[in-house]
Amino acid sequence: MGERTVVVVGGTSGIGLEIARDCVARGERVVITGRDAARTTEIAVGLGPSVQGVALDISEPSTIRAQLAGVGEVHGLVLAAIERDANSIRDYDIERAIRLVTLKLVGYAETVHTLLDRLEPSVATGIVLFGGRAKDLPYPGSTTVSSINGGVTGMVNTLALELAPIRVNAIHPGIVGDSPFWASKPEGVLKAYEDHTPGGALATMADVVDATQFLLRNQGVSAVNLCVDRGTAVI
Ligand SMILES: NC(=O)c1ccc[n+]([C@@H]2O[C@H](COP(=O)([O-])OP(=O)(O)OC[C@H]3O[C@@H](n4cnc5c(N)ncnc54)[C@H](OP(=O)(O)O)[C@@H]3O)[C@@H](O)[C@H]2O)c1
């Protein structure tokens, strides 16, 4: 197989950035996306010469096709983008809800749709969508996040059926303690979550990167919704 290209949507920060870094270390070409063109390019340059930065806002799905026009053949696609959101059903913010539902459930789907003519129709081609354990382990303010992460499960099932031999899987991380969003929380916030894992520790970004690479590459695996949470569900 020749050189592979992996596109990481939401590759400027957190888990997506670590996945991009890992793909570079494997000798692959990488396209990272973020909302701001200059910032995304700067981060791409910092990752190395095999990385291209593309500006993309998937909460505006009708703009995705034009923004991705310059992307060539793709062998791996990771959809990791998220806008941080706190919403509850008692104090429901419709605008925020519509924005985040659109980002994940329409934006992820439209990105796959747009790149279909560039995704090699082969079992070696993998797509990984990011959901999260909030789908079945809600926390205060996770109303929209829990809903869209549940939606990712359904999306994986239908895309895997429709796009075979291309493989489509999802990662559902638990709280990832060393990700920028959670690592920046005040001291003590993570303790409650750590106490809900059997080993008293949270999954790391490295754990999630490793799981993503497995789903991208293992040719026997499709339509899997993989939880990476150090066993949070079992206690
Ligand atoms: N961290 C966790 O503990 C955790 C737990 C469960 C699930 N997850 C899931 O894992 C994925 C990665 O999470 P993370 O914590 O690593 O994220 P993060 O650090 O907050 O990074 C989010 C990424 O999404 C991009 N982004 C934000 N809004 C966007 C938009 N409208 N259109 C396109 N890109 C956009 C950001 O780029 P710019 O800011 O440069 O635009 C950034 O690259 C997410 O899907 C999240 O739901 C994370």
Side-chain angles (χ1 to χ4, degrees), residues 1-7 28 71-77 111-127 159 162-168 216-217 219:
M1 189 194 301
E3 197 174 49
R4 281 168 55 96
T5 296
V6 177
V7 175
E28 294 173 328
V71 174
E73 196 175 35
V74 177
H75 308 90
L77 171 61
T111 303
V112 174
H113 169 73
T114 294
L115 291 176
L116 268 186
D117 59 353
R118 285 157 268 175
L119 281 157
E120 192 185 7
S122 154
V123 72
T125 303
I127 299 173
L159 296 193
E162 196 179 341
L163 299 184
I166 293 172
R167 296 168 303 94
V168 186
L216 279 176
R217 283 155 212 288
Q219 299 190 2

Side-chain angles (χ1 to χ4, degrees), residues 124-141:
T125 303
I127 299 173
V128 176
L129 314 180
F130 268 79
R133 285 307 310 277
K135 69 187 172 68
D136 36 25
L137 295 171
Y139 52 83

Side-chain angles (χ1 to χ4, degrees), residues 209-221:
V209 171
D210 186 52
T212 305
Q213 294 290 8
F214 164 71
L215 294 180
L216 279 176
R217 283 155 212 288
N218 190 295
Q219 299 190 2
V221 179

